[in-house]
Amino acid sequence: MAAGGGGVADPFSPAGVPCAFSPQSQAYFALASTDGHLRVWETANNRLHQEYVPSAHLSGTCTCLAWAPARLQAKEGPQRKKRKSEAIGTSNQVDLLALGTAVGSILLYSTVKGELHSKLISGGHDNKVNCIQWHQDNCCLYSCSDDKHIVEWNTQTCKVKCKWKGDNSSVSSLCISPDGKMLLSAGRTIKLWVLETKEVYRHFTGHATPVSSLMFTTIRPPNESQPFDGITGLYFLSGAVHDRLLNVWQVRSENKEKNAVMSFTVTDEPVYIDLTLSENKEEPVKLAVVCRDGQVHLFEHILNGYCKKPLTSNCTIQIATPGKGKKSTPKPVPILAAGFCSDKMSLLLVYGNWFQPTIERVALNSKEPHVCLVRDISVCWAPKVETAITKVRTPVMNSEAKVLVPGIPGHHAAIKPAPPQTEEIESKRKLGENEVSIEERLGALDIDTKKEKDTLPQTNSFPVLLTQGLESNDFEMLNKVLQTKNLNLIKRTVLRMPLHAVIPLLQELTKRLQGHPNSAVIMVQWLKCVLTIHASYLSTLPDLVPQLGTLYQLMESRVKTFQKLSHLHGKLILLITQVTASEKTKGPTCPAQKAKLVYEEESSEEESDDEIADKDSDDNWDEDEEEKGGEKDEDADEEEEEDGEENGEDRDVASEKELNGDSDLDPENESEEE
């Protein structure tokens, strides 16, 4: 029985991969790898028998699998001839393989036909299927899931016979009793159900983590003198996730005993468990446990009651590679699964990797506690790439061959070395020489006249570039299109773009509007064109508001500050106009005129007298300031200007007049002084 869970990321999911040996003398080994492929291998010659890929192998990966029991075929042989509808469901049922998926569906795969036989979906599980068990006697299938339910299926009609709640949490494992009347189910606690009434017969404490394996170990009670009701006195085994103990439980007549009677200890979490049933009280139970660390632990024990101390393995099998040379050291090879052969004296080991496993039959005649098998599997592990390469034929290119590329916009023709001049071609024609080659004609046409302007995208290709850039999320391609400032080109591009690209374009424009203000100015032009041209299409979208929610919020946040900015703009305009007006009024009242005649005296004495007068006037000005200390600074400035224009005596007179309250000099006095 496989304890694999299909590589789910859940920390409580079982380790390993779903796999199982066929019931017919372990002739086939079925393996559902993590990539969703089902592979069936022949155990005799280690050859891939079949490979099946479900249609939903990526979304609904296989989480568990189970072969149909071999007893069905034995009972169907001597019976009456069945109808065609009945034969479809039962005649090849021994070759059916049930696959549970992560989405809750169950697939029935026929190894004889090599195709899907049927699918169990309606009314079943709505979550991951954890375990599948076939009933031995009738066409019935039991499954459990993370949805806390157990479902009984009819494999003929592919419909649900019964569905009931198995636990308060997910149900992780199932097992049917040898007589087919009882069903074990386990989440963290273990329950024994009566299949006829779907009522709980016994409770067991279980494990601290989800149970990954359940199987009965005996088919007869230890005390054969008492009458046997089909279940009382039987032992069963359970293993759990992250638990290194395998517990053994006994179904007692009284309901008080709920704990395990004994346990087996292993080195790591069990991945795959197989055992040989004990048919009488003297026959020991043989147990093979494959752990996550890649070792196989073999147990052999007679179940005869309570045992307090956990039992250790009688033998441990490990596989390693040979150490070639001094530098290379042997490396362990993980064992994936192990199953007892029909003679119970040999073991089938599956080791290597999941995609190319190696299956080997090993005899159990060693009495050593630890056995290490040296196997060189480097040849098996090497990927066969050569077969894939030979399918692809690459053409052999001659060095002299020249490839001509059509001159489509966006493509460049091959650059040719200096083509022959047209004059030479015409001369050849005139002289009647051989006909001009195509290469020379193409060279004369001068195809390679493309300039640097060709690197820019053509205006008629803008809608195509925009659509491709939005689909591939190519930043450079989008920049070439969206950075254009030509309004007519923007309108033509938006008008010719496909409708399915409108929403992605709006989302891209929203993203760019949040960036630099310079780019936002251009993006607003694009946004305006899109909203005006494709308004009718956008109005038909039912989920337009959630899709453009970011754009709405962005526009609202930008518009909120617009009123305040406009008020501030108006105030600033008023201030600027007042400042400019005041600067104009403060300017000189009389514009400076250039004198028509300038007369300069050469006498140095007059110049000295003027200087002395200037000094005297300065002294007088200082005395006047001291006498009139309460006057304003503006009057002092006016007086200084007047002092610079007049002589010393005139300045004294002007200062006396201003002190007396008189205004500027009369024009008559000014002329007389001159």
Side-chain angles (χ1 to χ4, degrees), residues 25 46 93 137 181 186 201 256 260 305 334 348 353 371 436 438 454 476 512 545 568 578 581 631 633 666:
S25 67
N46 197 19
Q93 194 151 0
D137 298 331
K181 296 180 181 179
Y201 181 71
K256 295 181 180 179
L348 278 174
N353 59 358
V371 177
V436 183
I438 297 177
D454 291 342
E476 295 182 0
R512 290 171 180 261
V545 176
L568 180 62
Q578 290 177 2
E631 290 292 328
D633 295 337
D666 296 334

Side-chain angles (χ1 to χ4, degrees), residues 480-498:
K480 287 182 180 179
V481 179
L482 295 178
Q483 285 181 356
T484 180
K485 297 180 181 179
N486 190 347
L487 187 59
N488 292 328
L489 180 58
I490 293 174
K491 288 182 179 178
R492 289 198 303 269
T493 304
V494 174
L495 190 61
R496 295 174 58 187
M497 67 181 295

Side-chain angles (χ1 to χ4, degrees), residues 464-478 504:
V464 179
L465 289 176
L466 181 60
T467 308
Q468 292 177 355
L470 292 172
E471 290 177 354
S472 61
N473 201 13
D474 192 340
F475 187 73
E476 295 182 0
M477 190 181 297
L478 289 173

Side-chain angles (χ1 to χ4, degrees), residues 317-331:
I317 300 176
Q318 190 176 4
I319 300 178
T321 59
K324 296 180 180 179
K326 296 181 180 179
K327 295 183 180 180
S328 62
T329 56
K331 295 181 180 180

Side-chain angles (χ1 to χ4, degrees), residues 576-614:
I576 291 170
T577 52
Q578 290 177 2
V579 169
T580 53
S582 63
E583 287 179 353
K584 288 180 180 179
T585 55
K586 282 184 179 180
T589 55
C590 296
Q593 295 181 357
K594 190 176 181 180
K596 295 181 179 179
L597 177 65
V598 178
Y599 174 74
E600 295 181 359
E601 293 182 357
E602 297 179 357
S603 174
S604 60
E605 294 178 357
E606 291 180 0
E607 290 178 1
S608 61
D609 293 339
D610 293 337
E611 291 176 0
I612 292 168
D614 292 335

Side-chain angles (χ1 to χ4, degrees), residues 387-590:
T387 56
I389 291 176
T390 54
K391 295 179 181 179
V392 180
R393 300 300 179 94
T394 56
V396 179
M397 296 296 295
N398 188 4
S399 60
E400 298 179 356
K402 295 185 179 180
V403 181
L404 299 178
V405 182
I408 303 173
H411 294 75
H412 295 277
I415 298 173
K416 305 175 183 61
Q421 300 296 329
T422 55
E423 296 177 358
E424 297 179 1
I425 298 171
E426 291 177 358
S427 63
K428 286 183 180 180
R429 290 177 181 173
K430 290 178 181 178
L431 295 173
E433 294 180 1
N434 295 333
E435 190 177 353
V436 183
S437 63
I438 297 177
E439 180 184 357
E440 293 175 348
R441 291 181 183 177
L442 292 174
L445 291 174
D446 194 12
I447 296 177
D448 301 328
T449 56
K450 301 205 171 195
K451 307 296 180 183
E452 293 180 356
K453 293 182 180 179
D454 291 342
T455 57
L456 298 174
Q458 301 290 332
T459 55
N460 56 2
S461 65
F462 265 49
V464 179
L465 289 176
L466 181 60
T467 308
Q468 292 177 355
L470 292 172
E471 290 177 354
S472 61
N473 201 13
D474 192 340
F475 187 73
E476 295 182 0
M477 190 181 297
L478 289 173
N479 276 346
K480 287 182 180 179
V481 179
L482 295 178
Q483 285 181 356
T484 180
K485 297 180 181 179
N486 190 347
L487 187 59
N488 292 328
L489 180 58
I490 293 174
K491 288 182 179 178
R492 289 198 303 269
T493 304
V494 174
L495 190 61
R496 295 174 58 187
M497 67 181 295
L499 290 178
H500 65 81
V502 173
I503 294 298
L505 176 59
L506 287 175
Q507 293 174 352
E508 181 67 24
L509 293 175
T510 305
K511 191 189 305 180
R512 290 171 180 261
L513 279 171
Q514 300 172 0
H516 199 273
N518 292 338
S519 64
V521 173
I522 306 174
M523 297 305 115
V524 167
Q525 299 292 338
W526 282 91
L527 185 62
K528 180 181 177 181
C529 291
V530 173
L531 294 178
T532 53
I533 293 174
H534 295 287
S536 58
Y537 167 70
L538 293 173
S539 61
T540 60
L541 299 177
D543 55 346
L544 180 65
V545 176
Q547 284 186 352
L548 301 182
T550 308
L551 180 61
Y552 291 158
Q553 293 174 4
L554 182 64
M555 293 171 67
E556 287 178 2
S557 63
R558 295 285 176 92
V559 172
K560 276 182 182 178
T561 58
F562 178 72
Q563 188 175 4
K564 296 179 181 178
L565 288 174
S566 61
H567 286 308
L568 180 62
H569 184 257
K571 291 179 181 179
L572 289 175
I573 289 177
L574 288 174
L575 288 173
I576 291 170
T577 52
Q578 290 177 2
V579 169
T580 53
S582 63
E583 287 179 353
K584 288 180 180 179
T585 55
K586 282 184 179 180
T589 55
C590 296

Side-chain angles (χ1 to χ4, degrees), residues 201-272:
Y201 181 71
R202 291 285 184 272
H203 278 276
F204 301 92
T205 53
H207 295 257
T209 54
V211 176
S212 57
S213 303
L214 275 178
M215 52 183 63
F216 279 91
T217 58
T218 56
I219 59 175
R220 298 292 298 174
N223 190 1
E224 297 181 356
S225 59
Q226 296 180 356
F228 179 53
D229 59 356
I231 192 66
T232 304
L234 296 186
Y235 292 91
F236 66 90
L237 180 78
S238 67
V241 178
H242 306 316
D243 196 345
R244 296 190 298 110
L245 289 178
L246 298 173
N247 291 338
V248 178
W249 315 78
Q250 187 178 20
V251 182
R252 304 288 182 90
S253 56
E254 65 276 3
N255 198 15
K256 295 181 180 179
E257 186 62 39
K258 297 182 180 180
N259 297 326
V261 295
M262 60 184 300
S263 59
F264 299 102
T265 178
V266 291
T267 56
D268 206 344
E269 176 187 346
V271 174
Y272 191 96

Side-chain angles (χ1 to χ4, degrees), residues 310-364:
L311 300 176
T312 58
S313 61
N314 299 334
C315 180
T316 302
I317 300 176
Q318 190 176 4
I319 300 178
T321 59
K324 296 180 180 179
K326 296 181 180 179
K327 295 183 180 180
S328 62
T329 56
K331 295 181 180 180
V333 179
I335 299 175
L336 310 177
F340 286 101
C341 298
S342 55
D343 58 357
K344 299 183 182 181
M345 296 304 296
S346 57
L347 196 67
L348 278 174
L349 295 179
V350 181
Y351 57 89
N353 59 358
W354 294 110
F355 302 102
Q356 188 70 28
T358 304
I359 304 174
E360 182 181 349
R361 184 169 180 167
V362 179
L364 301 176

